[in-house]
Amino acid sequence: MNHPQKPTDSGTLRAGWLIDGRGGKIQKNVSLRIQDGLIAAVAASDPALEEPAEVLNLTGYTILPCLVDSHVHLFMSGTSDLKIRARQLDAPFSEIKKVITRHIEAYLLSGVTAVRDGGDHHAHALRYRDECLDTDKTPFQLQVAGRAWHRPGRYGRLIGREPAAAGQLAEAIAAESAAIDHVKIVNSGLNSLMKFGHQTSPQFTLAEMRAAVKAARVKGLSVMVHANGKIPVEIAVSAGCRSIEHGFFMGKENLKKMAEKDIFWIPTAATMQAYCDHWERIGENPDVARRNLEHQMGQIAAARKLGVPIAVGTDAGSIGVQHGRGIIPELVILKQAGLPIQEAIRCATANGARLLNLPAPHVLSRGLPASFIVVKGSPDRLPDSLLSIQKICIQGIFYDSGKGMISGE
Ligand SMILES: [Zn+2]
């Protein structure tokens, strides 16, 4: 890692507020003792017992675990400039690697230290992880799907490829030689932006999906499934996927099964907000996108009641969804759907870490790594205060912001 602010991984800080990442009650006025990069103690702050010169004073600040974005597409920028989008779709790696480095810098500036990539047609994110990401020099963790799988002739080319023949999905997964972190399967069309509630047919049968999940498991890989609508989601859930991506109009029965089977949901709801904004800007009618968003918020509220594990994923790279700060509108929507801020943050910390099976749980408590972000003001200012992260602490070492934390070229 480059340019640490304080060349020590031990010390004490006093924070105005602490969000633990588990969704627990927000703690006020706490002292955090850091030793050898770990949290040695968390206690109610008692200035009378502390030596002021040795304490980092963050009383006007909130600390929370580093964030995880569980659904991104690093190869594509969140621009609505269609010319740039068309270029990035098929640009060579030499060009896209610079784009990806910029995106990773944006993540670190927003306090996001781990992302799960949902695939790109040329597997540039996979190549970037292998050739450019120096994990000795950056705390950034990147998990990749390489290329997603879609049925011949159906939606998915921009993020993936098709098996050699229809009906051979499991064989294709088994034959994959790239060292991917998870398998991504596309099992429906895009959520309709023209016809409210329109559902597309599944791309794969239950038998095909079951065989695919099994083939992935043999390789120790979990499966993330892009699925909108009741039947496509039902197939993915019954087959034993690890997570449902998007899940627009999947319905309550699917949510119930997901809660029972501990299957994650990544609602990517802010994509609809971004479409609304985009269409308003260009003078088109944003009604269907707005109604999609409202419906998704209803599903989020139902999922919370049922106990479905939700992880924050932005689908960054989608029109108007920026890498890094795109996590803010997604958290805003979770809040609007009824999640208290500490629960919304949990979706972007502990839940993301569990979904990605990260080495650290992205939780702040005794004995765990002292890795957290510092934002100005009380938790009432979240998630907007994430727009200007004050500091990032990685295992006890402080950085001023995300800059200087990546070596990607
Ligand atoms: Zn996606």
Side-chain angles (χ1 to χ4, degrees), residues 71-73 116-119 155 159 184 190 224 226 245-246 268 271 314-318:
H71 188 133
V72 309
H73 297 276
R116 187 173 66 145
D117 193 274
Y155 163 74
I159 55 165
K184 166 87 179 280
L190 283 170
M224 66 190 284
H226 162 120
E245 314 296 314
H246 321 301
T268 66
T271 52
T314 57
D315 213 2
S318 178

